[in-house]
C-alpha cells in the first residue's frame, strides 16, 4: 500500500518559472502571491478574474458595455452585450505545423495542417449552408473520434448552429432518446467502426436513427468502415449501400458531397450565452438531460483550464483517450483554442496490447497525456514501463478517483512526470478541482481547486467544513455552467438537477474533503456513497483495497440501507481468469478492509458476478444496482444502450 499524501513530485524552479500560470500572474502583478491567495481572489472577485482571462488570451470578439457578471445562480449572466464565436477563436492560430493528428487502432494515421483544417471547415460549412443549416439549428453526429467529427463541429459552430454528438457504440434507443429531444436538421454518421480488432457495421442503426428523427432535412454518410476495409481515405470510398438519394426525412448524401464546394470561412458572432453544443447526462436512468453550454463560457473556461492547469500552449501536443460521447472529447477539441495540437484516437485502449496508448503518446511526441483512472490502474497491473516519452510533461486522470497506487505507478514508471487527478463533469465541461505545474503531487491527493471555481464541502446542515467529508458544492457561478437544458423553458428541470437541496448553491452530487491548504480528495458520488453506523464512506476507498488483489478483475460495493434504516453491505467481485472466490480469499479481503479502512468497511457478503456494469465511458453503475437491490426491475433501473455491458445487470437481482 502507498500512504495517502506521500510526496511523489515537486516542481523545479525552472518548471515554475516557465509555467503559463506564472506568466499570467506576472502580468497581473501577482507573481509573489501563493496559489491559494490567487484562487481566493478569483472566486471572491469573479468579475475581475474572468475579465482578465478575456484580456490575457486576447479573445476575438466584442466585449460590449455590459457588466462581466450580473445576477446569481441559477440565472447568472456573463459578459452582457458581448459577441464572439468559438470556431473563430479555435481557428485563429496560423503557426507552421499540424493542426490535428488522427490515429486509429489499425495503424492508420492522418495529419492536417492549420491551412488544411480551415479549408475543410470552410467546405463543410458551405455544405451545411446548402442543406439549410442556419443559426440556432441543430446538427447531430453519430461519429467516432475522427477528424470529420472535429471539422463538422467547427463548421457548425461557425454558423452559430448547435452541435450534439453520440458515439457509434451507443445503441439506437440511446441515441434516439437524445436526438429526438433536440430535433436536429442534419445527421452526420458513419457506416461503422472498428474496435478491439473487430468491425461493427452501423448502417442499419443509422437508418433506424434517421427514421426516428422527422426534423431531419438531410443525412450525411461517412464511409468510415468501408474506407478502412479498402485502405482508402473516407472521402474516396463509396457511401454505404442504399445510403444515397431520398428518405422520408430528407435527402441523403456522402461526406464528399457535403464538402464538394468551398466557400468563405466566415464566423457568425453570437451572444456570450448562445448555445454552442448540447451534451447529455450519462443516460443510465431516465431520459438523458440535454445540457446546453454557451460559446463564451466554454471559450473562457477551456482557455483558462488548458493553459493554466494543463500548461498547454502553441505547438504542444495534447492527447486524451475519449469518444465523442464523453465531454472529454469537447475538452480535447479545446486544444485548438490555446494553439495546441489535439491527437484524436479511435479504437480500444488495450488492443493489440495494454501499452497501445503509451505507444501513441511516444510516436506523436505527446506533451500532455490524459486517460481515465482505470487505464492507469490497468497499466500498473500489467507491469508496464512506457518508453520514448521524452517530451511528456504531464499525465492527467479523470472519470473516477485515482487511488494512491496509481499516482505512485506514474511516479515510478515515468520519473519526473507529474500526474494530476481532475474532477468536474459533463455539467460544466471542465474540471473544477485538479492540478497545476506549481503544485507538488502527493499520492491520492488532488492539489487544488481550479481558478474561478468556488468549490466547498457542505455538512448536512449546509455549512462549509474543512478537513471533513461533505457535499461538493459551488457557491459562486462559473461561466461554463449550463446556460439551460434543452426543452426546459421555465428552467424547472435545471433547478431540480443542481439547486434542489441548497437554494442558490450548486450541489454537484459528489463527496469531497477539502483541507486548509486547498487540496482535496473526491470520495465518489454522494448518492451512492455508503453510510455505515452513521459514518459516510466513499466507494473509491473500497475499490482501492479490493482491486489491488490479483484475483480481482473488478468490483462494486453497494449499501442497501435507506434513510433511518441500516442495510446490508454487499461486495460484488468479477474474478480474474482462473481465479476462484475461496474461503481463504474471502477472509483475506475482509481482513484487508478491516485493517486498512475500518471494521465498518467489512461487507456482509461477497458475491461473484461475471462483470461489473459500467457506462460507455467506463463509470461503475453503483446507483442503478442499488435500485435493483431495493426492488426496481432490471429493465427500469438502467438504460442498456448507455452501458458497455448491459448483459451483466441481470446478475444483480436480489
Amino acid at each position: 500500500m502507498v500512504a495517502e499524501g506521500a510526496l511523489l513530485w515537486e516542481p523545479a524552479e525552472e518548471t515554475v518559472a516557465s509555467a503559463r500560470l506564472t506568466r499570467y500572474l506576472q502580468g497581473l502583478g501577482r507573481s509573489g502571491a501563493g496559489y491559494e491567495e490567487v484562487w481566493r481572489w478569483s472566486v471572491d472577485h469573479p468579475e475581475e478574474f474572468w475579465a482578465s482571462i478575456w484580456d490575457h488570451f486576447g479573445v476575438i470578439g466584442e466585449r460590449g458595455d455590459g457588466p462581466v457578471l450580473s445576477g446569481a445562480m441559477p440565472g447568472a449572466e456573463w459578459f452582457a452585450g458581448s459577441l464572439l464565436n468559438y470556431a473563430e477563436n479555435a481557428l485563429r492560430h496560423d503557426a507552421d505545423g499540424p493542426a490535428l493528428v488522427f490515429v486509429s487502432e489499425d495503424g492508420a494515421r492522418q495529419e492536417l495542417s492549420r491551412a488544411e483544417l480551415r479549408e475543410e471547415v470552410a467546405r463543410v460549412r458551405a455544405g451545411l449552408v446548402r442543406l439549410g443549416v442556419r443559426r440556432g439549428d441543430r446538427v447531430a453526429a453519430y461519429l467516432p473520434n475522427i477528424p470529420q467529427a472535429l471539422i463538422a463541429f467547427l463548421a457548425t459552430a461557425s454558423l452559430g448552429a448547435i452541435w450534439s454528438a453520440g458515439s457509434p457504440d451507443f445503441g439506437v434507443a440511446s441515441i434516439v432518446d437524445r436526438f429526438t429531444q433536440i430535433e436536429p436538421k442534419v445527421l452526420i454518421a458513419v457506416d461503422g467502426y472498428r474496435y478491439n480488432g473487430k468491425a461493427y457495421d452501423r448502417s442499419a442503426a443509422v437508418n433506424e436513427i434517421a427514421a426516428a428523427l422527422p426534423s431531419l432535412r438531410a443525412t450525411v454518410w461517412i464511409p468510415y468502415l468501408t474506407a478502412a476495409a479498402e485502405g482508402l481515405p473516407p472521402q474516396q470510398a463509396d457511401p454505404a449501400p442504399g445510403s444515397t438519394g431520398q428518405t422520408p426525412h430528407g435527402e441523403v448524401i456522402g461526406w464528399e458531397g457535403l464538402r464538394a464546394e468551398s466557400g468563405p470561412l466566415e464566423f457568425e458572432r453570437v451572444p456570450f450565452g448562445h448555445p454552442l453544443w448540447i451534451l447529455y447526462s450519462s443516460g443510465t436512468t431516465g431520459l438523458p438531460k440535454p445540457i446546453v453550454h454557451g460559446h463564451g463560457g466554454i471559450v473562457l473556461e477551456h482557455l483558462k483550464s488548458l493553459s493554466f492547469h494543463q500548461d498547454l500552449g502553441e505547438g504542444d501536443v495534447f492527447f486524451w483517450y475519449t469518444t465523442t460521447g464523453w465531454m472529454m472529447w469537447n475538452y480535447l477539441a479545446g486544444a485548438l483554442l490555446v494553439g495546441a495540437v489535439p491527437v484524436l484516437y479511435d479504437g480500444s485502449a488495450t488492443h493489440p496490447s495494454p501499452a497501445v496508448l503509451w505507444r501513441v503518446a511516444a510516436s506523436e511526441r505527446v506533451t500532455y497525456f490524459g486517460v481515465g483512472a482505470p487505464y492507469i490502474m490497468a497499466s500498473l497491473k500489467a507491469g508496464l514501463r512506457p518508453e520514448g516519452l521524452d517530451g511528456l510533461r504531464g499525465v492527467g486522470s479523470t472519470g473516477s478517483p485515482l487511488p494512491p497506487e496509481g499516482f505512485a505507478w506514474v511516479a515510478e514508471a515515468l520519473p519526473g512526470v507529474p500526474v494530476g487527478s481532475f474532477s468536474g463533469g459533463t455539467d460544466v465541461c471542465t474540471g473544477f478541482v485538479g492540478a497545476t505545474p506549481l503544485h507538488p503531487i502527493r499520492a491520492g491527493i488532488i492539489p487544488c481547486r481550479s481558478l474561478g471555481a468556488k468549490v466547498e464541502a457542505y455538512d448536512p446542515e449546509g455549512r462549509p467544513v474543512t478537513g471533513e467529508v461533505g457535499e461538493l458544492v459551488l457557491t459562486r457561478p462559473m461561466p461554463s455552467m449550463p446556460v439551460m437544458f434543452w426543452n426546459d423553458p421555465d428552467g424547472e428541470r435545471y433547478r431540480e438537477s443542481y439547486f434542489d437541496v441548497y437554494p442558490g448553491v450548486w450541489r454537484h452530487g459528489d463527496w469531497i474533503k477539502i483541507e486548509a491548504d486547498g487540496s482535496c480528495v473526491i470520495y465518489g458520488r454522494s448518492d451512492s456513497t455508503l453510510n455505515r453506523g452513521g459514518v459516510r464512506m466513499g466507494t473509491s476507498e473500497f475499490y482501492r483495497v479490493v482491486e489491488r488483489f490479483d484475483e480481482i478483475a473488478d468490483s462494486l460495493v453497494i449499501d442497501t440501507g435507506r434513510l433511518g434504516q441500516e442495510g446490508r453491505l454487499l461486495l460484488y467481485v468479477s474474478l480474474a481468469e482462473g481465479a476462484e472466490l475461496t474461503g481463504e480469499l474471502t477472509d483475506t479481503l475482509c481482513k484487508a478492509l478491516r485493517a486498512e479502512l475500518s471494521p465498518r468497511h467489512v461487507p456482509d457478503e461477497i458475491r461473484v458476478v461475471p462483470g461489473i456494469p459500467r457506462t460507455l465511458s467506463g463509470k461503475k453503475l453503483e446507483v442503478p444496482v442499488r435500485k435493483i437491490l431495493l426492488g426496481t426491475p432490471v429493465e427500469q433501473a438502467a438504460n442498456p444502450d448507455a452501458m458497455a455491458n448491459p448483459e451483466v445487470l441481470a446478475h444483480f437481482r436480489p
Side-chain angles (χ1 to χ4, degrees):
M1 292 285 286
V2 177
E4 184 174 274
L7 180 63
L8 300 175
W9 178 87
E10 286 189 278
E13 288 185 11
E14 54 268 29
T15 300
V16 173
S18 63
R20 289 173 174 82
L21 177 53
T22 299
R23 284 178 249 161
Y24 163 72
L25 296 178
Q26 289 170 343
L28 290 177
R30 293 177 175 268
S31 56
Y35 180 87
E36 193 66 8
E37 178 186 339
V38 174
W39 174 82
R40 179 64 61 184
W41 164 74
S42 76
V43 296
D44 287 347
H45 302 279
E47 301 91 343
E48 295 178 22
F49 172 69
W50 290 106
S52 78
I53 296 300
W54 184 301
D55 295 339
H56 177 77
F57 290 101
V59 171
I60 298 176
E62 303 162 35
R63 273 276 300 271
D65 298 326
V68 172
L69 173 62
S70 56
M73 297 185 294
E77 182 182 4
W78 294 92
F79 291 90
S82 65
L83 295 172
L84 75 166
N85 186 284
Y86 177 102
E88 185 175 12
N89 281 276
L91 294 171
R92 66 175 173 169
H93 301 277
D94 57 4
D96 293 337
L100 66 85
V101 172
F102 166 68
V103 181
S104 68
E105 73 167 34
D106 61 6
R109 184 183 185 277
Q110 183 181 359
E111 184 178 300
L112 288 180
S113 70
R114 287 172 170 169
E116 289 170 331
L117 177 59
R118 283 193 288 268
E119 173 63 18
E120 287 300 309
V121 172
R123 286 179 171 274
V124 172
R125 183 186 194 276
L128 292 175
V129 170
R130 291 195 302 273
L131 295 176
V133 175
R134 301 291 184 267
R135 173 172 167 166
D137 289 336
R138 278 75 65 206
V139 174
Y142 192 53
L143 299 175
N145 188 11
I146 57 178
Q148 291 90 336
L150 187 53
I151 291 164
F153 157 59
L154 293 169
T156 299
S158 75
L159 293 166
I162 306 166
W163 174 259
S164 192
S167 174
D169 56 359
F170 279 37
V172 171
S174 180
I175 291 294
V176 169
D177 281 348
R178 288 159 165 76
F179 291 169
T180 52
Q181 295 186 75
I182 68 169
E183 300 177 298
K185 183 174 280 188
V186 171
L187 172 68
I188 305 175
V190 287
D191 59 347
Y193 65 98
R194 297 188 66 82
Y195 184 86
N196 211 26
K198 298 179 181 178
Y200 295 86
D201 189 326
R202 303 303 286 159
S203 300
V206 174
N207 287 330
E208 286 186 61
I209 293 166
L213 300 174
S215 60
L216 288 182
R217 291 272 295 270
T219 299
V220 179
W221 280 87
I222 299 176
Y224 182 53
L225 189 61
T226 305
E230 298 176 358
L232 297 170
Q235 62 266 28
Q236 293 183 17
D238 292 328
S243 65
T244 57
Q246 288 290 130
T247 72
H249 303 323
E251 63 180 305
V252 180
I253 64 173
W255 176 259
E256 183 62 12
L258 179 69
R259 62 174 295 280
E261 301 175 20
S262 190
L265 182 55
E266 298 175 340
F267 304 97
E268 176 86 10
R269 291 187 179 176
V270 293
F272 193 89
H274 181 82
L276 170 64
W277 56 48
I278 302 173
L279 306 182
Y280 302 88
S281 62
S282 63
T284 53
T285 58
L287 203 62
K289 297 178 296 188
I291 299 169
V292 183
H293 294 117
H295 278 247
I298 293 299
V299 166
L300 291 190
E301 174 58 39
H302 286 185
L303 282 170
K304 176 217 73 177
S305 189
L306 287 160
S307 183
F308 298 160
H309 293 277
Q310 264 82 40
D311 197 33
L312 289 167
E314 191 75 51
D316 286 328
V317 182
F318 184 40
F319 174 90
W320 207 293
Y321 180 68
T322 182
T323 70
T324 58
W326 188 21
M327 51 88 29
M328 290 309 300
W329 182 86
N330 305 70
Y331 191 77
L332 176 63
L336 296 172
L337 291 169
V338 297
V341 180
V343 176
L344 316 178
Y345 182 81
D346 178 43
S348 167
T350 57
H351 179 80
S353 83
V356 62
L357 299 186
W358 296 110
R359 290 171 183 161
V360 170
S363 64
E364 299 301 334
R365 299 194 59 77
V366 165
T367 307
Y368 197 97
F369 176 88
V371 286
Y375 184 75
I376 292 178
M377 298 307 293
S379 297
L380 181 159
K381 284 195 171 186
L384 298 184
R385 287 296 181 267
E387 298 178 347
L389 296 169
D390 298 340
L392 190 65
R393 294 204 313 266
V395 171
S397 170
T398 194
S400 59
L402 180 65
E405 289 74 19
F407 281 80
W409 177 82
V410 174
E412 181 184 352
L414 301 168
V417 178
V419 56
S421 180
F422 291 81
S423 185
T426 299
D427 315 83
V428 289
C429 201
T430 189
F432 37 59
V433 294
T436 75
L438 313 186
H439 283 88
I441 301 299
R442 302 179 185 276
I445 305 297
I446 298 175
C448 65
R449 291 169 283 189
S450 300
L451 293 174
K454 193 167 187 183
V455 176
E456 297 191 68
Y458 268 16
D459 69 10
E461 284 71 46
R463 298 171 301 201
V465 293
T466 301
E468 300 177 25
V469 177
E471 285 273 4
L472 191 162
V473 299
L474 288 102
T475 56
R476 290 284 177 89
M478 293 174 61
S480 67
M481 285 177 173
V483 295
M484 62 178 176
F485 286 176
W486 199 259
N487 288 335
D488 182 31
D490 60 1
E492 180 179 0
R493 197 178 180 196
Y494 180 41
R495 289 191 298 274
E496 287 178 349
S497 296
Y498 309 113
F499 302 98
D500 61 335
V501 177
Y502 310 110
V505 172
W506 173 294
R507 173 182 173 268
H508 194 65
D510 282 340
W511 292 123
I512 188 172
K513 180 171 69 174
I514 303 172
E515 301 293 353
D517 63 357
S519 64
C520 54
V521 177
I522 299 286
Y523 289 94
R525 296 294 296 174
S526 57
D527 50 9
S528 62
T529 304
L530 318 170
N531 191 325
R532 308 296 292 169
V535 177
R536 295 180 295 184
M537 305 179 299
T539 55
S540 62
E541 298 175 298
F542 262 83
Y543 304 140
R544 177 190 172 195
V545 174
V546 172
E547 293 173 16
R548 82 164 193 271
F549 287 87
D550 292 337
E551 296 92 338
I552 308 300
D554 206 353
S555 65
L556 188 78
V557 63
I558 303 292
D559 182 1
T560 63
R562 309 186 198 207
L563 186 62
Q565 179 182 341
E566 190 87 357
R568 287 171 60 74
L569 188 63
L570 304 177
L571 175 61
Y572 294 91
V573 294
S574 173
L575 297 172
E577 186 175 353
E580 294 182 17
L581 184 64
T582 61
E584 181 181 358
L585 178 58
T586 298
D587 290 343
T588 302
L589 285 170
C590 291
K591 287 178 181 177
L593 288 166
R594 179 184 296 272
E596 296 172 27
L597 299 179
S598 80
R600 292 186 176 92
H601 289 76
V602 177
D604 296 304
E605 186 179 349
I606 302 178
R607 301 176 180 175
V608 176
V609 288
I612 300 303
R614 290 182 178 268
T615 65
L616 290 168
S617 60
K619 295 184 179 180
K620 299 185 185 189
L621 293 181
E622 296 166 334
V623 174
V625 169
R626 185 173 185 273
K627 290 181 176 180
I628 291 171
L629 293 171
L630 294 176
T632 300
V634 171
E635 59 274 13
Q636 296 177 18
N639 180 355
D641 290 320
M643 295 179 59
N645 51 351
E647 69 282 354
V648 304
L649 266 187
H651 297 275
F652 293 84
R653 285 194 179 98

